[in-house]
Amino acid sequence: MATPEPAADRDPVGRRAFVVGAGTAALFAGPGTGTVAGAEPVAAAEAAGLEGALPGFHPLLKDELRFPLAWGTSPIRDFRTWRRVARSKVEEHLLVARDDTPYDPVLGEQREEGDGFTRELVTLSLTRYGRTRAVLLTPHGTGPFPAVLLLHDHGARFDIGKEKLVRPWYDDTRLTSAREWADRYFSGRFVGDELARRGYVVLAVDALGWGDRGPTTYDQQQALASNFYNLGSSLAGLMAREDVRAAAFLAGLDRVDRRRVGALGFSMGAFRAWQTAALSDDIAAAVSVCWMTGLKEVMVPGNNILRGQSSYYMLHPGLARHLDFPDVASIGAPKPMLFLHGGQDPLFTGEGLRVAHEKLRAVWRSRHAGERLDIRVRPDLGHVFTAPQQDDAFTWLDAVL
């Protein structure tokens, strides 16, 4: 989910309602009843029209979402079997097939020594469609080391991606942008550099549209996503597959202890962190900062997700008929996971957090692993990953990895 746009650019959801003809209303009505089939009577205008960016009958669509494949709801009672079936269902809705293209990495580009670690660029193939440049940080000393896959946010800022989390020593223009971003969201810190100083190998890669793989613009996202669908593919599915491939690449490095690889992300990166933990056996633990909710609770007038555009990076068409967001994250159970949230975050409702957290806790408890799930909400914070939160996350990673 993107960081809220500047006020001047906002078009509040629900500002206008549009009504179409009664003929359209009839498509949703039971024969001769004036009601939506199988539902309580509703006004024809509501059934046929739009409520801002939502169809007027969106409450009825919500009611149809029962998430029948969720653990505890699904008839599957063996957790390993459920996890296999649920992961397969998610992968089916990615619309992007698995890709075993050789990484063929080129390491050691533009190396620089940091404070206790080495920086380098690496070029590799995450898919058969092209080469990608990433940043790799390696602690000084004798490995193998624990490692963290860093997953950048959205934020409607595309000139930097991986640079939001790792200081771009190789580009002064991006360094200026990156410092602005770090000051705004990360207490002036570069999270990846901090992790490397603590002894972690760190990998960060641009998602399609950011940094070396962009920049796109805010208004181009919807066209980009729809063109993926027209080509029988998916923007969000590609990102998910690439994140899993990046995790496997990181885990396979000689310098890394493949049993101790975590994923960490903020905002959209947080979504990517728990999604990667669910879909990859190479991720042993995940830290998700400011992205978790129940789907129904976030689909409300005024919420940023209804704007479209940025949401396409986190949209797997049809998956909601099977699993809710926390249900997908639960595929990763009983791996250790840390969820950090701010009570003043404008992107996620308190009810959405409550519903999601209850679902997550129920799954981990069912695995007798409640202590491996750590959920922390700071009531005074918004959509940020502050230095104290970072220190908490680093300490948690030290304990579980």
Side-chain angles (χ1 to χ4, degrees):
M1 189 176 295
T3 302
E5 293 74 31
D9 295 333
R10 294 179 187 168
D11 180 15
V13 176
R15 184 173 64 186
R16 296 182 299 271
F18 300 88
V19 179
V20 299
T24 305
L27 294 176
F28 302 97
T33 64
T35 65
V36 174
E40 294 298 319
V42 293
E46 180 185 18
L50 300 178
E51 184 181 324
L54 285 167
F57 49 90
H58 66 90
L60 303 179
L61 292 173
K62 276 190 183 181
D63 288 344
E64 292 175 359
L65 295 178
R66 307 295 174 83
F67 311 117
L69 190 51
W71 175 249
T73 301
S74 166
I76 301 172
R77 291 293 176 258
D78 177 74
F79 189 78
R80 290 185 179 181
T81 301
W82 172 82
R83 182 168 52 198
R84 184 174 63 252
V85 171
R87 180 185 284 184
S88 177
K89 183 61 67 176
V90 175
E91 292 184 337
E92 173 189 332
H93 286 78
L94 298 183
L95 306 182
V96 176
R98 294 185 185 184
D99 195 325
D100 296 322
T101 299
Y103 294 108
D104 193 20
V106 177
L107 297 163
E109 300 176 88
Q110 294 188 244
R111 290 171 62 98
E112 179 184 277
E113 296 304 315
D115 178 18
F117 62 95
T118 301
R119 303 180 174 97
E120 62 184 309
L121 294 178
V122 54
T123 301
L124 71 162
S125 298
L126 291 178
T127 70
R128 60 186 176 276
Y129 302 119
R131 305 279 284 168
T132 302
R133 192 165 74 161
V135 293
L136 183 64
L137 311 180
T138 305
H140 295 161
T142 303
F145 303 99
V148 173
L149 175 65
L150 280 185
L151 300 157
H152 68 74
D153 60 71
H154 188 295
R157 180 153 192 173
F158 303 96
D159 59 323
I160 50 174
K162 57 189 179 297
E163 295 84 6
K164 294 177 177 181
L165 295 164
V166 175
R167 185 178 71 83
W169 72 95
Y170 45 84
D171 189 315
D172 289 341
T173 300
R174 290 187 190 181
L175 179 58
T176 298
S177 295
R179 282 174 171 159
E180 291 174 356
W181 204 254
D183 288 342
R184 182 175 181 182
Y185 291 107
F186 306 134
S187 299
R189 284 175 163 181
F190 287 102
V191 176
D193 296 55
E194 295 293 328
L195 281 165
R197 291 188 188 99
R198 294 181 71 105
Y200 291 88
V201 174
V202 173
L203 178 70
V205 188
D206 291 321
L208 183 64
W210 281 269
D212 291 321
R213 303 181 70 190
T216 189
T217 67
Y218 184 84
D219 291 337
Q220 289 174 339
Q221 294 175 99
Q222 201 150 305
L224 178 63
S226 66
N227 288 332
F228 262 90
Y229 294 147
N230 281 329
L231 292 167
S233 190
S234 164
L235 180 59
L238 177 72
M239 186 170 71
R241 288 294 193 192
E242 289 185 345
D243 289 344
V244 169
R245 285 271 290 168
F249 172 75
L250 178 59
L253 292 174
D254 290 341
R255 67 194 75 179
V256 170
D257 181 348
R258 68 175 311 118
R259 299 166 301 173
R260 296 190 291 158
V261 178
L264 184 153
F266 165 70
S267 194
M268 182 185 77
F271 174 99
R272 298 167 67 191
W274 56 253
Q275 178 175 256
T276 307
L279 298 180
S280 171
D281 293 331
D282 292 305
I283 295 298
V287 178
S288 173
V289 186
C290 295
W291 212 114
M292 178 48 69
T293 181
L295 172 61
K296 293 183 181 183
E297 292 71 31
V298 79
M299 294 292 294
V300 293
N303 194 279
N304 193 61
I305 201 171
L306 301 190
R307 297 172 60 87
Q309 296 291 5
S310 309
S311 301
Y312 278 94
Y313 278 96
M314 293 151 280
L315 172 60
H316 304 305
L319 183 58
R321 291 197 172 276
H322 307 277
L323 296 161
D324 198 354
F325 294 127
D327 303 327
V328 175
S330 295
I331 296 171
K335 297 177 184 179
M337 289 199 196
L338 171 64
F339 290 86
L340 300 178
H341 298 280
Q344 303 301 314
D345 191 332
L347 301 181
F348 300 99
T349 66
E351 180 65 7
L353 291 180
R354 184 191 66 78
V355 167
H357 293 167
E358 286 183 359
K359 285 188 173 185
L360 292 168
R361 288 190 176 102
V363 177
W364 263 258
R365 286 170 181 163
S366 78
R367 300 297 89 215
H368 308 289
E371 74 285 355
R372 294 188 177 187
L373 179 68
D374 195 337
I375 298 173
R376 309 179 193 182
V377 180
R378 283 282 302 270
D380 57 318
L381 294 181
H383 199 71
V384 291
F385 188 26
T386 64
Q389 289 176 298
Q390 293 168 38
D391 291 340
D392 287 346
F394 301 156
T395 300
W396 183 87
L397 282 169
D398 290 344
V400 301
L401 294 181

